[in-house]
Every structure is written in C-alpha cells, then in structure tokens.
Amino acid sequence: MTTLLVLVSGALAGCSDDEPRDTVGAFLDGWKSGDLSRVGFVTADGGKIAASEVLTEIRAFYGDLKDQPLAVSVAGEPKVTGDDSTTPIDVRWTLSGNVTWAYRSAVRMTKRSGDGWQVIWEPAVLQPDLESGEKFRLRRVPAQRGTILDANGKPLVGPHEVVVIGVSPEKITNLSSLTGSLTKAFRKIDVDVDLADLADRVGKADDGAFLELITLRRADYNRIRDDVRPLPGTVFRTETRQLAPTRAFARALLGTVDAATRDDLDARPAELTTGDLVGHGGLQARYDKQLRGTPGLSVVISAEAADETVQDQPVFTVEPVNGKSIKVTLDTATQNAADRALAGQKQPSSLVALRISDGAVLAVANGPDPGGVNTALTGQVPPGSTYKMISTYGLLQKGAVRADTPVDCPRTRTVDGRTFKNSDDEELGTVPFHVDFAKSCNTAFVALAPKLGADGLAAASRALGIGGDWNIGIDAYTGKVSDGGSPTELAAASFGQGSTAVSPIAMAVATAAVAKGGFQPPRLVLDPAPAATGTPGALDANALTGLRSMMREVVTGGTGTALRGVAGEPVYGKTGTAEFQNGSEDTHSWFVGYQGDVAFAVMVQKGGAGSEAAVPIAKRFLTTLAG
C-alpha cells in the first residue's frame, strides 16, 4: 500500500465549502485516506466519473511506484477564472536509495455543472506529462563497470562479443540426440559442459524459455557454429561481456563478470536487481563494489502499444556513478607464457611468476580448469624438497655446513624409530653438501636437521617470507612452518615434509628473496593499494652465494638438467617431490627457480617427482618467455 502524506496549508482550515481551496483539501485528504467520496469528479470533457473509479485509476497509474512513499501538498492559492479554477500542488516521491523525486503539478476544478466545485479528473494531476493508458515505471540505469588495468594502465579486461548458447523447450524434437550432439560439439573446443540435468530443466521450464547452457567468446562459437546452429531446440543470444584477452588468462585470479544469480540477489537485495552484472570469483568479486559503481535510476512514463512494443519517456533520472578501475601488476606476455605452459597438463597445476627486482606478481596461472580454485595463491600443500632451499639457507647462515662439507647420503636414515628414505632409494655415499642439494638427498638433510634446529628453520623461513604478513590485495596463503617439535618432525620439515604447508606464491616469494638478496614483499594490486604489505629485509650475503651456486648446480648436473639448454640467462632452481597423504604413493611435483629478473614456482598435484611434471612446465614457460 502506498504511504501517502498529504500536507495541506493551514489557510484551508475554517473556509466555506464552496471555496475551491476546500475542494482541493478534500481531494488531497481523500487521496491520502483512499476515500474520495466527499469529492465530486468530472472528466476533461465534462462527463461524470465516480470517485471510486478515480481512485482505481490513480493506483493503476502508479505502476512501479506503488510501494514508494508519496507526499502531496498545496503549493499556492487557487487561480479562479469564472467557473474554472487551478490550484498548484507539490508532489514528492521517495524512491529506493532515499532518492527524492519532486515536481509541481496542478488540480483543475470546475463548477459549471451547478453542483459546486468538482475536480476535473485527468492523469496530468499525478504528473503533467502523464496520459491515459500510461504508467510510471522504474528503469535502472547501469553504471559503466570499471576494468582491470595492468601496471601501465592498459586494460587487461575489456569488452568482447560473446554468444550465449541455450535451448528452448518447445523447439526440441529429440532431447537425447540434442544432448549428445551438443556434448560432441563442445568437446571440439575443449569445453566441458555438464548437461546431466538438462532433461530436468527442460521438463520444468515453460515453452519459450531460454535455458542457458554456456557463454562462448565469438571466436570459440564460430568454431562450432555449423555444428550447433542447425540442432532443433538450440537458441542463441549475442551479448558483450568484460573479458580477459583469452579464456585461460589468469582466470581464477581475475574472476568473471556475469548476470547476478539468485544467490547474489538474495545476499544483496538492496544493491542488486535482476539483470545486473556482478563479479564472480577473483578480483572481480573482491573489488566488485568499486568496479561496479552505483547504478542510476530513471522514472519513465511507459506506454505499451497494441503490438506490445513499449515506449518510455523519461521524466526523472538520477545519473549513475561509474565504477573505478583497479590496477594490478600482471604482465600480459608473462601470463600468456604461464597459461601456455600449463595447457597440456591434465593434473591440477599452478604457476606463479614474480619480478625479482620489485616483487611484482607477473603471472598467476592454474590448470587444467583455469577458472577453478586459485591454488596458485591459496593452496596449502607440503613443499617437498623445494624447501631444502630454505633449510640450506638456514644451515649456511648458521655456519652449520658449507657447500663443500662432506655429508653422507645413505639410502635410508632412521630417527626415533621412523625411517626416512630418498626418492627411488638413491644412495650417494659421502659427498660434498652441494651434491646432496643438487641430487636432492633427503637423508643428508635428516642428518643435518639437529644442526639447523627448529629455531633455525623458523628463522630462515621468516627471513624468506614464509608465513609473513605480506598482503597482495587478494587472498593468498603465505605459509605455515613446522614447529619442529620432535626429532622426527624436525627431520621431516628439513626437506619440506611434516606439518609445513605453503602455496606456490609463497615459494615464488622465497625464491625471489634468494635471487634478490633480501625479502621483497610481493605486490599484485597497485590501486587501491592494500594495507600491511610487508617489510623488506636483507639476507646473509655469504649464505646466498653458496645457495645460489647449489641452485645452479641443480640445473647443470642435478635433478633439473632438462632446463640446462633453455635460452637466455642461466636458470637456477630446486626440484621437489612432496608426499601429502600417509599410505599413498602419489606425490606433488614441484620446481622453484629464477632466470634473469623473473622468479617462479610450479606445482603439479599428483604429478610425481619434480623432474617428471614440474620441470617440463618450467621449461615451456621459460622457452615461451625467451621467444
């Protein structure tokens, strides 16, 4: 029910019933109460019209404003010309968002019929431009959404034409055949669309409904156009969406912009309405309010023609406030190289790349579904032998060992009844420590764990940024270091097992610290700049000299020799094979490394040894960058 407040000037009180101002007052009072029986009405051509009919028409004209608070007041003295009178009134609507729409209208009256002053009923009483058959409608005026820019201000996300593929129930002749044909067509472009519930959706839908299946970029759609267009039941809609350069491009990080879902509408009823575009996942969701801006509002007088076309005449508009773009450090060439490096990998995989000199995040890639979980930033997994890079820094910094110190590498080593072994039961014998590192000997690190100690492990980890308070402007797991609370836990943690957990970005940050000579807080979102980004810190130069030499030896004669011939500057790194579940032979495959001004971390879940899955990805990544 419309909330109506009628304000009538105090000058009306005590006037005689034959004054036009009294009739206006009675009309406004009746409008307020919903009872116009005290007022007589005539139409503009002089015909009689019942008060109840006038009230019905008033409410019909309201349209979308029927639940909006309304106030009406007399705005001046009646102007009387013979048997006719016109009284100005002020009309004020309070629209959603506490927006006020106020305007001047007028009530015309006549006493030509001899029955005293009667209100001439006409739609213009409600609004001067309103005519019979029209209604007030509220139209949302969308704000222009901000985009995601790279560090140079160039858009990473921009308008792209897409085709929405759907089905219409009444056009389907054979649902089973349609489902099979669509599945086959989608596979041609390596897109997996779950059509298992299509029959149920069709059964519940009205004829004429558009049941959306997938939205494709125009280029992808064109590849299967001739396959899907002729299928009985398919329907298509062309739209423009804010998209990254490619479907895979940092998709889990960037997120997507799509029509608001039912969940969105239920969660944010005051902000969103059907048809609004909303950020889902990644940066688009994290900064949705800033990117989306504030939509405007337009009151229109709407007329529906006989052919069902609608003509809108705007009478009041609150202009939208356009969204603000955000700026990030992603580099298009580096991101494309990372996406391509993961493209052939069937297992879940991630790659993060940083610029060593300033900590800028250059690439965040995930696969095989680039829009799935952003493991590259938020994964919490054991690092395996890549953590030997951190343990070694701690050992060298403490002076517990030197690169040429002989350290035995037996096939197994037992600590408090727990037996640790090397990958493939390898046994090196007593060799210089740099060989133990390059060949990734677990048992050598188990032997050195007491010299490192839990405090040494924790200090080395903190120095390289693991578990730090750095903030890149979106959720990222900085890592958690084992407490080394028992000899067996410390032994396991020394080579990246035990309770230590990291993300790929955490290991990329640590690797960049080794390459730079000090911890550099990573940066991703530049504007708006996040708070508490972390504090840079210097590392022990002597320890780094030995560590870097060992990381180079991993590539020249250790577990990462597949990278030896990569074009460009020398590659430094460390492989890792991480056990993650007791009783399982599956392991995560890791490689962390750097070349020139780029540090990176690669992880393949259940990928086996580091040299088996992660190193080939690193090679593809660096080769593409060099090209």
Side-chain angles (χ1 to χ4, degrees):
M1 179 65 183
T2 302
T3 302
L4 178 62
L5 172 62
V6 180
L7 303 175
V8 183
S9 170
L12 297 177
C15 296
S16 62
D17 289 342
D18 61 355
E19 292 293 327
R21 68 186 69 184
D22 297 324
T23 303
V24 172
F27 172 58
L28 297 182
D29 285 342
W31 192 355
K32 171 185 176 181
S33 65
D35 179 6
L36 295 172
S37 59
R38 291 180 54 228
V39 183
F41 293 92
V42 295
T43 61
D45 59 8
K48 292 287 185 180
I49 181 171
S52 59
E53 186 176 347
V54 171
L55 189 61
T56 298
E57 290 191 15
I58 288 175
R59 290 170 175 170
F61 281 120
Y62 286 166
D64 291 341
L65 303 187
K66 64 182 179 66
D67 295 319
Q68 309 300 310
L70 171 65
V72 183
S73 61
V74 173
E77 290 297 317
K79 181 180 181 180
V80 180
T81 305
D83 290 336
D84 297 321
S85 171
T86 302
T87 303
I89 62 172
D90 284 333
V91 183
R92 187 174 73 250
W93 296 90
T94 302
L95 308 177
S96 59
N98 204 31
V99 172
T100 298
W101 175 36
Y103 54 89
R104 180 68 53 85
S105 186
V107 178
R108 294 200 302 146
M109 293 175 292
T110 183
K111 59 178 181 179
R112 293 178 184 178
S113 66
D115 295 329
W117 289 105
Q118 295 184 308
V119 173
I120 300 173
W121 167 239
E122 54 192 345
V125 172
L126 300 186
Q127 204 279 338
D129 296 323
L130 193 64
E131 297 181 1
S132 295
E134 298 176 333
K135 293 184 178 182
F136 291 126
R137 293 296 186 195
L138 289 173
R139 304 294 189 215
R140 199 171 179 87
V141 183
Q144 181 177 334
R145 188 176 180 89
T147 190
I148 300 176
L149 308 172
D150 68 13
N152 296 317
K154 182 179 179 182
L156 290 171
V157 175
H160 290 260
E161 186 176 276
V162 299
V163 178
V164 184
I165 301 178
V167 297
S168 187
E170 85 281 1
K171 296 181 179 181
I172 298 173
T173 58
N174 186 320
L175 182 58
S176 177
S177 175
L178 174 63
T179 302
S181 297
L182 286 171
T183 299
K184 183 178 179 181
F186 295 148
R187 283 176 180 165
K188 286 180 63 175
I189 54 174
D190 297 321
V191 173
D192 184 19
V193 181
D194 186 2
L195 301 178
D197 64 343
L198 183 57
D200 184 58
R201 292 176 64 193
V202 169
K204 294 178 179 177
D206 297 329
D207 286 347
F210 187 107
L211 302 182
E212 183 174 330
L213 301 180
I214 190 172
T215 300
L216 297 177
R217 294 167 185 261
R218 169 61 72 175
D220 289 333
Y221 166 74
N222 287 342
R223 292 172 57 192
I224 60 170
R225 182 187 186 282
D226 294 341
D227 298 306
V228 298
R229 197 84 190 183
L231 298 176
T234 53
V235 285
F236 307 86
R237 187 172 69 231
T238 300
E239 297 179 357
T240 298
R241 297 276 180 91
Q242 293 288 321
L243 301 174
T246 69
R247 181 177 180 273
F249 190 95
R251 189 173 177 187
L253 171 63
L254 297 180
T256 60
V257 181
D258 313 285
T261 65
R262 173 49 54 190
D263 288 343
D264 293 326
L265 299 175
D266 290 344
R268 298 150 70 185
E271 296 179 43
L272 302 176
T273 190
T274 301
D276 280 356
L277 293 178
V278 179
H280 291 127
L283 295 168
Q284 293 286 6
R286 169 67 177 79
Y287 295 93
D288 183 63
K289 187 172 183 178
Q290 173 177 324
L291 290 164
R292 189 162 48 85
T294 304
L297 185 67
S298 183
V299 180
V300 302
I301 293 175
S302 182
E304 184 174 307
D307 62 357
E308 297 186 352
T309 59
V310 176
Q311 291 185 332
D312 287 346
Q313 176 190 352
V315 290
F316 175 74
T317 298
V318 177
E319 295 297 331
V321 178
N322 289 337
K324 296 180 180 179
S325 296
I326 67 171
K327 184 178 288 188
V328 300
T329 59
L330 288 186
D331 175 73
T332 299
T334 309
Q335 182 65 51
N336 283 334
D339 291 329
R340 290 169 187 163
L342 298 184
Q345 177 56 242
K346 301 301 182 183
Q347 293 296 110
S349 51
S350 303
L351 192 159
V352 176
L354 307 176
R355 188 160 51 231
I356 295 167
S357 55
D358 64 1
V361 178
L362 303 176
V364 177
N366 294 275
D369 176 8
V373 178
N374 195 356
T375 306
L377 299 186
T378 62
Q380 300 183 26
V381 295
S385 290
T386 58
Y387 217 73
K388 289 172 182 171
M389 174 183 70
I390 296 172
S391 298
T392 296
Y393 172 77
L395 288 164
L396 294 173
Q397 194 271 335
K398 290 184 68 172
V401 68
R402 297 189 310 273
D404 59 356
T405 300
V407 180
D408 189 24
C409 176
R411 182 179 292 107
T412 64
R413 191 178 293 275
T414 301
V415 177
D416 282 358
R418 178 179 173 182
T419 299
F420 296 91
K421 66 176 185 176
N422 296 320
S423 180
D424 297 326
D425 293 325
E426 186 175 44
E427 181 176 8
L428 301 178
T430 300
V431 295
F433 178 56
H434 64 84
V435 176
D436 291 311
F437 184 93
K439 298 291 186 179
S440 202
C441 176
N442 294 340
T443 56
F445 278 82
V446 170
L448 293 170
K451 294 185 178 182
L452 176 61
D455 290 343
L457 179 65
S461 300
R462 285 194 304 270
L464 274 67
I466 301 298
D469 59 358
W470 43 269
N471 179 3
I472 61 172
I474 195 170
D475 289 347
Y477 184 64
T478 67
K480 177 179 179 294
V481 184
S482 166
D483 63 6
S486 68
T488 55
E489 175 62 24
L490 179 61
S494 70
F495 63 97
Q497 296 293 163
S499 59
T500 295
V502 296
S503 62
I505 190 173
M507 291 306 297
V509 167
T511 306
V514 171
K516 182 179 176 67
F519 167 67
Q520 173 67 51
R523 302 182 305 146
L524 174 64
V525 179
L526 300 175
D527 185 13
T533 56
T535 304
L539 297 174
D540 185 297
N542 291 329
L544 289 177
T545 298
L547 176 56
R548 290 169 184 156
S549 175
M550 295 183 205
M551 292 177 70
R552 178 59 181 157
E553 188 177 348
V554 169
V555 175
T556 58
T559 54
T561 52
L563 296 168
R564 188 164 45 195
V566 170
E569 298 182 54
V571 178
Y572 300 75
K574 182 68 189 78
T575 56
T577 304
E579 299 176 2
F580 59 90
Q581 184 176 356
N582 291 334
S584 173
E585 294 297 321
D586 290 330
T587 55
H588 297 328
S589 176
W590 279 91
F591 185 81
V592 299
Y594 63 93
Q595 181 188 44
D597 199 23
V598 177
F600 57 93
V602 179
M603 185 193 68
V604 182
Q605 298 178 48
K606 298 183 180 181
S611 59
E612 293 174 350
V615 168
I617 289 173
K619 183 176 182 178
R620 290 196 294 271
F621 171 64
L622 296 176
T623 300
T624 302
L625 276 185

